PDB file of all heavy atoms in Angstrom:
ATOM      1  N   ALA A  47       7.629  -4.067 -79.224  1.00  0.00           N
ATOM      2  CA  ALA A  47       6.798  -5.042 -79.942  1.00  0.00           C
ATOM      3  C   ALA A  47       5.329  -4.639 -79.876  1.00  0.00           C
ATOM      4  O   ALA A  47       4.871  -4.090 -78.880  1.00  0.00           O
ATOM      5  CB  ALA A  47       6.973  -6.425 -79.333  1.00  0.00           C
ATOM      6  N   ALA A  48       4.615  -4.927 -80.957  1.00  0.00           N
ATOM      7  CA  ALA A  48       3.175  -4.630 -81.006  1.00  0.00           C
ATOM      8  C   ALA A  48       2.443  -5.509 -80.005  1.00  0.00           C
ATOM      9  O   ALA A  48       2.708  -6.700 -79.898  1.00  0.00           O
ATOM     10  CB  ALA A  48       2.638  -4.847 -82.406  1.00  0.00           C
ATOM     11  N   THR A  49       1.528  -4.913 -79.255  1.00  0.00           N
ATOM     12  CA  THR A  49       0.787  -5.666 -78.251  1.00  0.00           C
ATOM     13  C   THR A  49      -0.688  -5.806 -78.589  1.00  0.00           C
ATOM     14  O   THR A  49      -1.336  -6.692 -78.081  1.00  0.00           O
ATOM     15  CB  THR A  49       0.920  -5.007 -76.867  1.00  0.00           C
ATOM     16  OG1 THR A  49       0.478  -3.659 -76.958  1.00  0.00           O
ATOM     17  CG2 THR A  49       2.350  -5.033 -76.385  1.00  0.00           C
ATOM     18  N   THR A  50      -1.228  -4.944 -79.416  1.00  0.00           N
ATOM     19  CA  THR A  50      -2.644  -5.007 -79.776  1.00  0.00           C
ATOM     20  C   THR A  50      -2.782  -5.727 -81.103  1.00  0.00           C
ATOM     21  O   THR A  50      -2.296  -5.250 -82.118  1.00  0.00           O
ATOM     22  CB  THR A  50      -3.247  -3.594 -79.868  1.00  0.00           C
ATOM     23  OG1 THR A  50      -3.001  -2.905 -78.657  1.00  0.00           O
ATOM     24  CG2 THR A  50      -4.729  -3.653 -80.139  1.00  0.00           C
ATOM     25  N   LYS A  51      -3.448  -6.896 -81.071  1.00  0.00           N
ATOM     26  CA  LYS A  51      -3.580  -7.688 -82.291  1.00  0.00           C
ATOM     27  C   LYS A  51      -4.998  -8.170 -82.535  1.00  0.00           C
ATOM     28  O   LYS A  51      -5.282  -8.688 -83.599  1.00  0.00           O
ATOM     29  CB  LYS A  51      -2.658  -8.895 -82.239  1.00  0.00           C
ATOM     30  CG  LYS A  51      -1.198  -8.532 -82.302  1.00  0.00           C
ATOM     31  CD  LYS A  51      -0.354  -9.765 -82.387  1.00  0.00           C
ATOM     32  CE  LYS A  51       1.100  -9.369 -82.508  1.00  0.00           C
ATOM     33  NZ  LYS A  51       1.965 -10.510 -82.680  1.00  0.00           N
ATOM     34  N   LYS A  52      -5.897  -8.052 -81.587  1.00  0.00           N
ATOM     35  CA  LYS A  52      -7.258  -8.564 -81.723  1.00  0.00           C
ATOM     36  C   LYS A  52      -8.244  -7.415 -81.608  1.00  0.00           C
ATOM     37  O   LYS A  52      -8.058  -6.489 -80.826  1.00  0.00           O
ATOM     38  CB  LYS A  52      -7.557  -9.597 -80.631  1.00  0.00           C
ATOM     39  CG  LYS A  52      -6.679 -10.814 -80.686  1.00  0.00           C
ATOM     40  CD  LYS A  52      -7.006 -11.665 -81.879  1.00  0.00           C
ATOM     41  CE  LYS A  52      -6.203 -12.937 -81.872  1.00  0.00           C
ATOM     42  NZ  LYS A  52      -6.537 -13.822 -82.938  1.00  0.00           N
ATOM     43  N   PHE A  53      -9.330  -7.518 -82.385  1.00  0.00           N
ATOM     44  CA  PHE A  53     -10.289  -6.417 -82.398  1.00  0.00           C
ATOM     45  C   PHE A  53     -10.964  -6.211 -81.054  1.00  0.00           C
ATOM     46  O   PHE A  53     -11.329  -5.098 -80.699  1.00  0.00           O
ATOM     47  CB  PHE A  53     -11.310  -6.598 -83.528  1.00  0.00           C
ATOM     48  CG  PHE A  53     -12.600  -7.263 -83.130  1.00  0.00           C
ATOM     49  CD1 PHE A  53     -13.715  -6.501 -82.845  1.00  0.00           C
ATOM     50  CD2 PHE A  53     -12.698  -8.638 -83.050  1.00  0.00           C
ATOM     51  CE1 PHE A  53     -14.905  -7.098 -82.485  1.00  0.00           C
ATOM     52  CE2 PHE A  53     -13.875  -9.239 -82.702  1.00  0.00           C
ATOM     53  CZ  PHE A  53     -14.988  -8.473 -82.413  1.00  0.00           C
ATOM     54  N   PHE A  54     -11.120  -7.261 -80.253  1.00  0.00           N
ATOM     55  CA  PHE A  54     -11.779  -7.099 -78.965  1.00  0.00           C
ATOM     56  C   PHE A  54     -10.934  -6.279 -77.990  1.00  0.00           C
ATOM     57  O   PHE A  54     -11.424  -5.837 -76.965  1.00  0.00           O
ATOM     58  CB  PHE A  54     -12.155  -8.451 -78.345  1.00  0.00           C
ATOM     59  CG  PHE A  54     -10.976  -9.330 -78.012  1.00  0.00           C
ATOM     60  CD1 PHE A  54     -10.259  -9.139 -76.851  1.00  0.00           C
ATOM     61  CD2 PHE A  54     -10.608 -10.354 -78.861  1.00  0.00           C
ATOM     62  CE1 PHE A  54      -9.184  -9.951 -76.538  1.00  0.00           C
ATOM     63  CE2 PHE A  54      -9.544 -11.173 -78.562  1.00  0.00           C
ATOM     64  CZ  PHE A  54      -8.825 -10.962 -77.391  1.00  0.00           C
ATOM     65  N   GLN A  55      -9.683  -6.053 -78.309  1.00  0.00           N
ATOM     66  CA  GLN A  55      -8.834  -5.213 -77.466  1.00  0.00           C
ATOM     67  C   GLN A  55      -9.062  -3.726 -77.735  1.00  0.00           C
ATOM     68  O   GLN A  55      -8.567  -2.886 -77.002  1.00  0.00           O
ATOM     69  CB  GLN A  55      -7.359  -5.541 -77.713  1.00  0.00           C
ATOM     70  CG  GLN A  55      -6.970  -6.938 -77.287  1.00  0.00           C
ATOM     71  CD  GLN A  55      -5.565  -7.275 -77.710  1.00  0.00           C
ATOM     72  OE1 GLN A  55      -5.254  -7.360 -78.891  1.00  0.00           O
ATOM     73  NE2 GLN A  55      -4.705  -7.453 -76.731  1.00  0.00           N
ATOM     74  N   ILE A  56      -9.805  -3.420 -78.781  1.00  0.00           N
ATOM     75  CA  ILE A  56      -9.997  -2.034 -79.192  1.00  0.00           C
ATOM     76  C   ILE A  56     -11.479  -1.688 -79.151  1.00  0.00           C
ATOM     77  O   ILE A  56     -12.286  -2.312 -79.808  1.00  0.00           O
ATOM     78  CB  ILE A  56      -9.472  -1.817 -80.624  1.00  0.00           C
ATOM     79  CG1 ILE A  56      -7.991  -2.162 -80.681  1.00  0.00           C
ATOM     80  CG2 ILE A  56      -9.703  -0.389 -81.072  1.00  0.00           C
ATOM     81  CD1 ILE A  56      -7.441  -2.171 -82.076  1.00  0.00           C
ATOM     82  N   VAL A  57     -11.815  -0.670 -78.389  1.00  0.00           N
ATOM     83  CA  VAL A  57     -13.206  -0.208 -78.364  1.00  0.00           C
ATOM     84  C   VAL A  57     -13.442   0.704 -79.554  1.00  0.00           C
ATOM     85  O   VAL A  57     -14.394   0.537 -80.297  1.00  0.00           O
ATOM     86  CB  VAL A  57     -13.519   0.528 -77.038  1.00  0.00           C
ATOM     87  CG1 VAL A  57     -14.909   1.122 -77.076  1.00  0.00           C
ATOM     88  CG2 VAL A  57     -13.356  -0.409 -75.863  1.00  0.00           C
ATOM     89  N   ILE A  59     -11.083   2.104 -82.625  1.00  0.00           N
ATOM     90  CA  ILE A  59      -9.747   2.087 -83.203  1.00  0.00           C
ATOM     91  C   ILE A  59      -9.330   3.503 -83.608  1.00  0.00           C
ATOM     92  O   ILE A  59     -10.080   4.213 -84.273  1.00  0.00           O
ATOM     93  CB  ILE A  59      -9.678   1.109 -84.393  1.00  0.00           C
ATOM     94  CG1 ILE A  59      -8.235   0.930 -84.839  1.00  0.00           C
ATOM     95  CG2 ILE A  59     -10.581   1.538 -85.516  1.00  0.00           C
ATOM     96  CD1 ILE A  59      -8.027  -0.266 -85.737  1.00  0.00           C
ATOM     97  N   PRO A  60      -8.153   3.918 -83.158  1.00  0.00           N
ATOM     98  CA  PRO A  60      -7.706   5.275 -83.499  1.00  0.00           C
ATOM     99  C   PRO A  60      -7.245   5.360 -84.954  1.00  0.00           C
ATOM    100  O   PRO A  60      -6.828   4.363 -85.537  1.00  0.00           O
ATOM    101  CB  PRO A  60      -6.527   5.500 -82.548  1.00  0.00           C
ATOM    102  CG  PRO A  60      -6.026   4.133 -82.223  1.00  0.00           C
ATOM    103  CD  PRO A  60      -7.205   3.220 -82.298  1.00  0.00           C
ATOM    104  N   ALA A  70       0.842   5.060 -77.818  1.00  0.00           N
ATOM    105  CA  ALA A  70      -0.202   4.031 -77.786  1.00  0.00           C
ATOM    106  C   ALA A  70      -0.523   3.541 -79.190  1.00  0.00           C
ATOM    107  O   ALA A  70      -0.733   2.349 -79.408  1.00  0.00           O
ATOM    108  CB  ALA A  70      -1.467   4.564 -77.118  1.00  0.00           C
ATOM    109  N   ILE A  71      -0.537   4.433 -80.160  1.00  0.00           N
ATOM    110  CA  ILE A  71      -0.848   4.055 -81.531  1.00  0.00           C
ATOM    111  C   ILE A  71       0.295   3.247 -82.138  1.00  0.00           C
ATOM    112  O   ILE A  71       0.062   2.327 -82.917  1.00  0.00           O
ATOM    113  CB  ILE A  71      -1.189   5.301 -82.377  1.00  0.00           C
ATOM    114  CG1 ILE A  71      -2.539   5.837 -81.924  1.00  0.00           C
ATOM    115  CG2 ILE A  71      -1.209   4.985 -83.853  1.00  0.00           C
ATOM    116  CD1 ILE A  71      -2.982   7.068 -82.627  1.00  0.00           C
ATOM    117  N   MET A  72       1.513   3.525 -81.764  1.00  0.00           N
ATOM    118  CA  MET A  72       2.657   2.785 -82.297  1.00  0.00           C
ATOM    119  C   MET A  72       2.619   1.318 -81.866  1.00  0.00           C
ATOM    120  O   MET A  72       3.178   0.462 -82.536  1.00  0.00           O
ATOM    121  CB  MET A  72       3.974   3.431 -81.860  1.00  0.00           C
ATOM    122  CG  MET A  72       4.171   4.836 -82.419  1.00  0.00           C
ATOM    123  SD  MET A  72       4.041   4.947 -84.217  1.00  0.00           S
ATOM    124  CE  MET A  72       5.540   4.147 -84.689  1.00  0.00           C
ATOM    125  N   ASP A  73       1.951   0.996 -80.758  1.00  0.00           N
ATOM    126  CA  ASP A  73       1.855  -0.380 -80.260  1.00  0.00           C
ATOM    127  C   ASP A  73       0.760  -1.186 -80.952  1.00  0.00           C
ATOM    128  O   ASP A  73       0.647  -2.383 -80.717  1.00  0.00           O
ATOM    129  CB  ASP A  73       1.593  -0.390 -78.751  1.00  0.00           C
ATOM    130  CG  ASP A  73       2.821   0.024 -77.957  1.00  0.00           C
ATOM    131  OD1 ASP A  73       3.924   0.018 -78.521  1.00  0.00           O
ATOM    132  OD2 ASP A  73       2.664   0.359 -76.775  1.00  0.00           O
ATOM    133  N   ILE A  74      -0.049  -0.556 -81.769  1.00  0.00           N
ATOM    134  CA  ILE A  74      -1.126  -1.268 -82.450  1.00  0.00           C
ATOM    135  C   ILE A  74      -0.601  -1.867 -83.742  1.00  0.00           C
ATOM    136  O   ILE A  74      -0.044  -1.169 -84.580  1.00  0.00           O
ATOM    137  CB  ILE A  74      -2.318  -0.332 -82.743  1.00  0.00           C
ATOM    138  CG1 ILE A  74      -2.923   0.183 -81.445  1.00  0.00           C
ATOM    139  CG2 ILE A  74      -3.376  -1.062 -83.571  1.00  0.00           C
ATOM    140  CD1 ILE A  74      -3.988   1.249 -81.646  1.00  0.00           C
ATOM    141  N   ASP A  75      -0.797  -3.154 -83.900  1.00  0.00           N
ATOM    142  CA  ASP A  75      -0.455  -3.825 -85.145  1.00  0.00           C
ATOM    143  C   ASP A  75      -1.707  -3.768 -86.025  1.00  0.00           C
ATOM    144  O   ASP A  75      -2.543  -4.668 -86.009  1.00  0.00           O
ATOM    145  CB  ASP A  75      -0.043  -5.272 -84.855  1.00  0.00           C
ATOM    146  CG  ASP A  75       0.398  -6.019 -86.102  1.00  0.00           C
ATOM    147  OD1 ASP A  75       0.109  -5.554 -87.227  1.00  0.00           O
ATOM    148  OD2 ASP A  75       1.024  -7.078 -85.938  1.00  0.00           O
ATOM    149  N   PHE A  76      -1.851  -2.665 -86.771  1.00  0.00           N
ATOM    150  CA  PHE A  76      -3.047  -2.425 -87.575  1.00  0.00           C
ATOM    151  C   PHE A  76      -3.297  -3.553 -88.572  1.00  0.00           C
ATOM    152  O   PHE A  76      -4.440  -3.937 -88.808  1.00  0.00           O
ATOM    153  CB  PHE A  76      -2.956  -1.085 -88.304  1.00  0.00           C
ATOM    154  CG  PHE A  76      -3.086   0.105 -87.411  1.00  0.00           C
ATOM    155  CD1 PHE A  76      -1.985   0.870 -87.066  1.00  0.00           C
ATOM    156  CD2 PHE A  76      -4.321   0.480 -86.904  1.00  0.00           C
ATOM    157  CE1 PHE A  76      -2.109   1.970 -86.239  1.00  0.00           C
ATOM    158  CE2 PHE A  76      -4.457   1.579 -86.078  1.00  0.00           C
ATOM    159  CZ  PHE A  76      -3.345   2.321 -85.744  1.00  0.00           C
ATOM    160  N   ASN A  77      -2.248  -4.101 -89.148  1.00  0.00           N
ATOM    161  CA  ASN A  77      -2.417  -5.176 -90.111  1.00  0.00           C
ATOM    162  C   ASN A  77      -3.034  -6.413 -89.445  1.00  0.00           C
ATOM    163  O   ASN A  77      -3.943  -7.036 -90.000  1.00  0.00           O
ATOM    164  CB  ASN A  77      -1.075  -5.526 -90.764  1.00  0.00           C
ATOM    165  CG  ASN A  77      -1.234  -6.505 -91.896  1.00  0.00           C
ATOM    166  OD1 ASN A  77      -2.103  -6.358 -92.749  1.00  0.00           O
ATOM    167  ND2 ASN A  77      -0.400  -7.523 -91.904  1.00  0.00           N
ATOM    168  N   SER A  78      -2.562  -6.777 -88.246  1.00  0.00           N
ATOM    169  CA  SER A  78      -3.128  -7.933 -87.530  1.00  0.00           C
ATOM    170  C   SER A  78      -4.580  -7.689 -87.148  1.00  0.00           C
ATOM    171  O   SER A  78      -5.408  -8.597 -87.213  1.00  0.00           O
ATOM    172  CB  SER A  78      -2.309  -8.239 -86.277  1.00  0.00           C
ATOM    173  OG  SER A  78      -1.053  -8.754 -86.623  1.00  0.00           O
ATOM    174  N   VAL A  79      -4.884  -6.462 -86.744  1.00  0.00           N
ATOM    175  CA  VAL A  79      -6.262  -6.120 -86.369  1.00  0.00           C
ATOM    176  C   VAL A  79      -7.166  -6.244 -87.604  1.00  0.00           C
ATOM    177  O   VAL A  79      -8.259  -6.819 -87.533  1.00  0.00           O
ATOM    178  CB  VAL A  79      -6.352  -4.706 -85.760  1.00  0.00           C
ATOM    179  CG1 VAL A  79      -7.801  -4.281 -85.568  1.00  0.00           C
ATOM    180  CG2 VAL A  79      -5.607  -4.655 -84.426  1.00  0.00           C
ATOM    181  N   ALA A  80      -6.709  -5.732 -88.752  1.00  0.00           N
ATOM    182  CA  ALA A  80      -7.505  -5.806 -89.984  1.00  0.00           C
ATOM    183  C   ALA A  80      -7.722  -7.260 -90.387  1.00  0.00           C
ATOM    184  O   ALA A  80      -8.845  -7.652 -90.734  1.00  0.00           O
ATOM    185  CB  ALA A  80      -6.809  -5.044 -91.115  1.00  0.00           C
TER     186      ALA A  80
END
Side-chain angles (χ1 to χ4, degrees):
T49 56
T50 306
K51 292 186 178 184
K52 298 290 185 176
F53 95 98
F54 64 81
Q55 294 173 295
I56 301 172
V57 174
I59 189 165
I71 289 178
M72 296 305 288
D73 288 344
I74 297 173
D75 183 344
F76 289 105
N77 188 46
S78 290
V79 172

